[in-house]
Structures are given as C-alpha cells and as structure tokens.
Amino acid sequence: MTHEILLVEDSTAQAAVYRSYLEADGHHVHAVDSGEAALEYLQRRQPAAMLLDLQLPGIQGLEVMSRLREQGRAVPVVVISDHGSTDNVLEAMRLGAADFVTKPFGRSRLGVTVANAIRQRELAAMVETYRDRFARDRFHGFIGSSLPMQSLYRIIESAAPSKATVFITGESGTGKELCAAAIHAASRRSDGPFVAVNCAALPRDLMESEIFGHVKGAFTGAHRQRDGAASLADGGTLFLDEIGEMDLDLQSKLLRFVQTGQFQRVGSGETITVDVRIVCATNRDPLEMVRQGRFREDLYYRLHVVPIQLPALRERGEDVLLIARSFLARFSLEEGKRFEGYTPECEQLLLRHPWPGNVRELENVVRNIVVLNDAQQVRLSMLPPALLQGSAPRDVIAADAPARVGPPPAAEATPAAAPSLRPATPVPVADTAATVSMATREVVPLWQVERAAIEAAIARFDGNIPRAAAALEISPSTIYRKRQSWLEAEKVLGESA
Amino acid sequence: MHSNTMHPATSAPDEELLDDATVAALEADVGQERLVPVMRSFADELARRQPMLQSALEAGDVDAVGRETHSIKGSALTFGALLLGAAARRANDASRTGDVSTALAAASEVAELMPRTRGVVLRLVTRRTEARRP
C-alpha cells in the first residue's frame, strides 16, 4: 500500500538509498535535510510516517520529536540511529518514537519497521474511532454510556438510514418516543417532519381521523377537511406510540397503509399516497398480544422488521448517575438553585433503587428534590422518603437520619420549601408533591402524587391537556397514557369490588 | 598529519576500500538501475565533506570533527566503505568521550581515506555505466 513518508536525513547519499528502499516498497517519499524543514513540512502535511535521523544540522532529531509531542501531532516516527547513540534512541522512544533502525540497515529491515509503525498508528486510530463510537455517553437526546445503551446507539445508527419499520418495546419511561425521534434525527429524513401519535390517547372512533385525516362532513363535528398524521408525516417519520392499544378494525387499515403507503381520509374515496417511515412502540409484549388476538399477526410481522428493546433503567448501571446529574444541572438552572451534585451516599442510593418508573421516575425525583431544596449537594435527607425506604440500607439511612428532622446547615442547604424534611403535618395531595408524613412514616404511593399533580394541572388550565403538559414539562401523550391507565385501574377495581 | 604506519587502514590497497558483499547487497536492495546514481551520490558527498573535515582538523575543533565523522561513518558503512567507516567511527566515538588526541588521529585517517575511497567508488560507477551501454 502506498503511503506518504517524510524522510529527514542530512546525508544526501544515505537519503538517496533510503528513498530507493521506500519507493521500492511502493511509498511516496518526501526528503528534507534538516529538522527545520521537517517541522515546516509537517505544518502543511500529515505523512503516514517519518523516518528521522537523530543527528541533524540545526534542530536535532530529538528536538523535532519534542516539538511534535508538544503540538500533539500523532506522526509515527522511525528513528535512524547508529552504534553509540543508545541514550538518544531511548530518549526518542520516550518522546513517542514508534521504533528505530540502526545504520547500516537494508531494505527489508526498513520496510518492516516502517510498515509496523504505520500499522501501529492505524490501529491506534482505529481504537480511538471505536472508543468514540462505543463509548458515547450522549446520543440524540439519550444520556448513558452503559453497554446496553451503546448497543442501542449502534442499532439506531444502523437502522436509521433504512426505510424499514422499527418496532420499539420497553417499559414505561424508558424513552420510546425519544428513541423514535433519534431514529428520525439520524435518518436521511431528518429534514422532514416527525409526527407522533399516541394510539391510546383518543377514542378509537377519533383515532382513524387522527392518523388518516377526514373530509368535511365525514362525521358529526367534522366542519372542515383535516389532514391526519399520515399526511403530515409525508417525507418524514410517523411514530405510532402504544400501538398495542389500537382497535382491530383500524389495525387492518393501518396494515394496508404500511403495505402500500396509501390511505383514504375518513369519509373520502380518494386514495392518497405518501412516503412515510413508520416507527411504532408499545410497553406490552407484542407477540403476547398477537397470541391473545388483540393484535393482528400480519400487521405484527409487517411492523416488526427492526425490533428495538429499550433497556430498563435498572439494567443500565451507572447511567442512573449520568442522567441524575444531567437532570440536577438542568432543573437547578431552571429553578435558580445552587445544586452541583450528589453526596456519595445519595449516589449509592440512586444506584440501588430499582426505578420501576425508569427515567421518568428519576426525572420526577430529581425535579422534586430541586423544587423543595436548595444546597450545593443533594443529601440523603432531601431524597423522597419512598426512595429512602425502598432502597437504602438501614445503616446508610441511620447515618444521615439527623439531617432529616431539621433544616440542613445554612452553608450546605437552604430549606427553601421542604416540608418533607420536617416531622410535619401531612400535606394534601392536591396541594403539593411533598406528600409524606414523616411523623407516621405513612407514604403515599408515587403514582398518587403524580396523578394529583397532573389532575391539578389539567384543572388549572381548564381541561387543556397540551397546556397542562407544557406546564408540567411532559408530553401530552404522557398525560393521555396515564389517564388511560388510571381509568383501567379503576375499572379493574370496580369489577373486583 | 599522522603517518600511514600508525594507521594500518590507510596503507590498505584500494581493492580493500570498498566491500564487494555490501555493494552487492545494496544493489539487490535498490536495484541495478539505481546502484550507479546512489554510489555517485556517495562520491559527491565524500567530495563535499572532505574540506569540511579538513577545516575541523586544522582548527582542532573536536565537536566539528565529531559531527563530520558521524555523517561520514553512516554513509561509509551503508555503501561498503568499511575501512573508512571504521576510522570514522573511532573518530566519532573518541570525540564523544572527549578523547581529543584519538579523535583527531582517527579523523586524520578518515581525511586520508576519503579521496581514495571516492576514487574507488567513481571507478565502480564508471565500470557499471560502461557495462550498461549497448
């Protein structure tokens, strides 16, 4: 393979010989006779390797190496030495020389040494490349450097350029919509629209219109023609979240759309063709839904082309800390608080907690901490009691316990609004997220706190869910999804009663 | 200037100034066509360095002697001028250790061998050039 080699040798006779050796091996050689000329050349060019005589007029070979090192230049250097200059060779190797050859040397010796030096540099560059590729801690909105996330990033990168349908599964709060958005952002369609539809958010009668649109008069209240998500996503990506909740009738229409890219607006006979990449998601086991007859098998196989299983937060090791630190920095900035990090005990507890609500639960916890406290570090006493009781070993809690019954030292923390820190009267659920009675140690389940906060926000904005979602800094689909799950839970309770 | 009796290399016949095996190995490495130009470049370099070494010797400048004999040593050993290379190595080693008398004596030997070696190299170049003429 041809490489560009910089030859630095003040002896024209020896330079002629070395040039012959290298050119016979197919390399392109640029020869200079001084250290100054070598450095000047390296300002302009990046040779594959440099063959450097240590004894040069003016700037010596070792000085050339030293300057390259200062400049952070990664040129593999093969040093030309002679008998009696062992110290200089050792110094050159210390300065980063790849290898050395001792005069006189033949073509094969030089060829092997230069080839090895180039190969060594190529391997180092390859390692750097793979390290960059495999050790990312952020990727299109995701935060995490754990192995499951590195694997996820690679799958997204591989799948993104294709038009193949992606089927995302994962527990609630693992970031399915974020994953869909990442696929869109990494695809060639990134300039096109990304349209998300939550299939559980609307009654099934309206869902068809939501996806395919309707014409004026198609149904009561259809006062004008309206484009659906399929039209809006033309040239981009259509994300169908909670697809397992889709009505079976609508599934058959979706199947046709997936197969042909064609659909008809509700109430219209006109066939519309669009170019849409479909990404769908569910937190259920789609194959189990097929077995139960709740999901069409043919649609399943149409959609399940590139499956992506999002890892639960508990499977992501120290990603918990990366994400918690990121949330802490963001929320502190938003809330004007001083938080810079967590105490080691806190971090241990965050790592131990199973996070059944995944990243969304972690986000809520950190938001709660930031809103209710102010300090440079998050201490155990600031964590929601449910987290403490559920995760921390007793000795850790006991060690920090005194801090939980009184305000933290002024230099460390300012009790801005921290009812959870004091043995106070329980706070009504609807008033605040701080819902724990420390005196009785009775803890209100997190979902009740969450429900109260969401319902309060919806009431505050007169039932306007998008505005409530914006105020809560969550997506409207999250509210729809949660309300649906609460309704289902109540229904089950009602039936069992 | 030192006498030939003190430095046996200088009394060696011309035939011993260029090692045939080294030249053959060099020819194998650079190829037949390139041997003549690289040998000529060696001869040119000897011609260029001769006055520089002579000046260093006359000035008794051991550092300069060391620098010149270092370069001569490397080239001489590469092109098969083994006696010249050995003398240059002695001069270079002595200059590094500060052994001035040995350095200057060996450098004188180098200075004496350089034109003779150059002559042998040029004769080789001439022979090879004529041999390649059609």
Side-chain angles (χ1 to χ4, degrees), chain A residues 3 22 42 46 103 137 139 141 152 158 167 177 211 238 272 355 385 448 464 474:
Chain A
H3 288 103
L22 294 166
L42 288 166
Q46 173 74 20
K103 295 177 186 176
D137 59 10
F139 181 84
L152 173 67
S158 302
F167 203 129
E177 185 161 347
I211 296 175
L238 174 61
I272 298 168
W355 301 109
Q448 284 187 16
N464 187 322
I474 58 178

Side-chain angles (χ1 to χ4, degrees), chain A residues 351-367:
Chain A
L351 285 170
R352 283 195 200 99
H353 187 66
W355 301 109
N358 292 296
V359 178
R360 192 176 295 123
E361 181 189 357
L362 175 58
E363 182 179 8
N364 291 343
V365 165
V366 179
R367 170 75 80 180

Side-chain angles (χ1 to χ4, degrees), chain B residues 88-134:
Chain B
R89 177 180 289 171
R90 283 199 302 277
N92 185 240
D93 288 349
S95 71
R96 266 204 287 241
T97 59
D99 183 351
V100 176
S101 61
T102 304
L104 294 179
S108 296
E109 192 178 348
V110 171
E112 202 169 332
L113 285 169
M114 283 174 80
R116 289 182 57 205
T117 303
R118 181 169 180 267
V120 172
V121 171
L122 286 174
R123 285 200 289 278
L124 172 78
V125 167
T126 304
R127 274 201 314 276
R128 290 303 188 102
T129 306
E130 285 174 354
R132 290 182 61 81
R133 280 191 187 136

Side-chain angles (χ1 to χ4, degrees), chain A residues 10-14 16-21 23-24 53-55 82-85 88 103-108, chain B residues 26 28-30 34 37-38 41-42 45 48-49 66-67 70-71 73-79 89 92-93 96:
Chain A
D10 66 315
S11 160
T12 49
Q14 290 172 72
V17 172
Y18 305 153
R19 178 193 282 274
S20 296
Y21 289 172
E23 287 180 348
D53 189 13
L54 289 179
Q55 188 110 10
D82 56 20
H83 294 288
S85 55
N88 282 345
K103 295 177 186 176
F105 50 85
R107 176 185 156 193
S108 59
Chain B
L26 184 63
D29 276 348
V30 301
R34 286 217 178 183
V38 298
S41 73
F42 176 45
E45 187 168 307
R48 185 165 58 86
R49 291 197 185 274
R67 284 195 299 275
H70 171 85
S71 297
K73 173 185 67 175
S75 294
L77 295 175
T78 299
F79 288 92
R89 177 180 289 171
N92 185 240
D93 288 349
R96 266 204 287 241

Side-chain angles (χ1 to χ4, degrees), chain A residues 319-392:
Chain A
D319 285 357
V320 173
L321 299 183
L322 286 178
I323 299 167
R325 288 171 192 148
S326 173
F327 282 147
L328 188 68
R330 196 174 95 200
F331 298 154
S332 294
L333 190 67
E334 288 174 9
E335 303 286 344
K337 302 295 178 72
R338 295 174 291 156
F339 286 111
E340 293 174 358
Y342 300 83
T343 62
E345 296 80 16
C346 264
E347 293 198 335
Q348 285 304 309
L349 196 140
L350 293 175
L351 285 170
R352 283 195 200 99
H353 187 66
W355 301 109
N358 292 296
V359 178
R360 192 176 295 123
E361 181 189 357
L362 175 58
E363 182 179 8
N364 291 343
V365 165
V366 179
R367 170 75 80 180
N368 181 289
I369 291 166
V370 174
V371 168
L372 300 182
N373 303 277
D374 193 8
Q376 284 192 322
Q377 280 199 309
V378 176
R379 300 162 57 87
L380 278 180
S381 56
M382 299 174 190
L383 296 182
L387 207 69
L388 287 166
Q389 290 173 353
S391 300

Side-chain angles (χ1 to χ4, degrees), chain A residues 63-343:
Chain A
E63 178 63 19
V64 172
M65 293 211 58
S66 183
R67 293 195 190 182
L68 283 182
R69 188 175 177 170
E70 283 170 13
Q71 295 166 11
R73 296 292 298 274
V75 180
V77 179
V78 173
V79 166
I80 302 171
S81 74
D82 56 20
H83 294 288
S85 55
T86 311
D87 289 348
N88 282 345
V89 171
L90 288 175
E91 179 61 12
M93 298 299 280
R94 193 186 66 77
L95 288 169
D99 207 342
F100 66 95
V101 283
T102 303
K103 295 177 186 176
F105 50 85
R107 176 185 156 193
S108 59
R109 173 80 173 93
L110 179 65
V112 168
T113 307
V114 168
N116 284 344
I118 293 171
R119 183 73 183 139
Q120 188 180 321
R121 177 63 207 138
E122 287 173 345
L123 287 172
M126 204 180 293
V127 168
E128 284 167 21
T129 302
Y130 279 98
R131 190 189 297 143
D132 288 346
R133 187 177 297 174
F134 294 136
R136 289 170 291 193
D137 59 10
R138 283 171 190 269
F139 181 84
H140 288 293
F142 280 110
I143 298 172
S145 59
S146 62
L147 279 178
M149 293 308 283
Q150 302 300 335
S151 173
L152 173 67
Y153 302 158
R154 287 198 295 278
I155 292 171
I156 291 175
E157 273 182 333
S158 302
S162 158
K163 200 194 166 187
T165 304
V166 177
F167 203 129
I168 306 166
T169 53
E171 295 177 10
S172 285
T174 48
K176 292 186 284 293
E177 185 161 347
L178 192 60
C179 180
I183 291 165
H184 174 74
S187 75
R188 287 189 286 266
R189 299 170 167 265
S190 57
D191 289 339
F194 174 78
V195 179
V197 176
N198 188 314
C199 300
L202 289 172
R204 61 188 176 194
D205 296 338
L206 292 179
M207 186 50 66
E208 182 177 357
S209 165
E210 186 71 18
I211 296 175
F212 299 124
H214 61 255
V215 293
K216 184 177 177 182
F219 48 82
T220 307
H223 301 301
R224 60 183 175 83
Q225 178 171 302
R226 179 178 179 272
D227 281 336
S231 295
L232 296 172
D234 192 12
T237 304
L238 174 61
F239 174 52
L240 300 172
D241 197 5
E242 305 210 37
I243 193 154
E245 311 307 315
M246 186 179 279
D247 179 72
L248 278 169
D249 287 344
L250 188 52
Q251 285 181 27
S252 62
K253 292 179 181 172
L254 180 63
L255 174 63
R256 178 169 174 266
F257 173 53
V258 173
Q259 286 172 323
T260 63
Q262 295 180 330
F263 64 91
Q264 292 167 336
R265 291 191 181 98
V266 177
S268 168
E270 182 194 357
T271 297
I272 298 168
T273 304
V274 291
D275 173 26
V276 166
R277 199 257 179 92
I278 294 178
V279 177
C280 57
T282 180
N283 59 0
R284 301 176 191 270
D285 176 356
L287 210 49
E288 182 57 29
M289 289 191 295
V290 171
R291 288 193 198 100
Q292 293 172 356
R294 296 171 55 196
F295 200 80
R296 290 181 63 116
E297 187 174 12
D298 46 8
L299 179 60
Y300 168 79
Y301 286 113
R302 273 285 170 187
L303 295 175
H304 205 261
V305 181
V306 180
I308 293 180
Q309 167 75 43
L310 293 183
L313 187 53
R314 63 183 169 279
E315 297 165 350
R316 294 172 54 184
E318 300 217 347
D319 285 357
V320 173
L321 299 183
L322 286 178
I323 299 167
R325 288 171 192 148
S326 173
F327 282 147
L328 188 68
R330 196 174 95 200
F331 298 154
S332 294
L333 190 67
E334 288 174 9
E335 303 286 344
K337 302 295 178 72
R338 295 174 291 156
F339 286 111
E340 293 174 358
Y342 300 83
T343 62

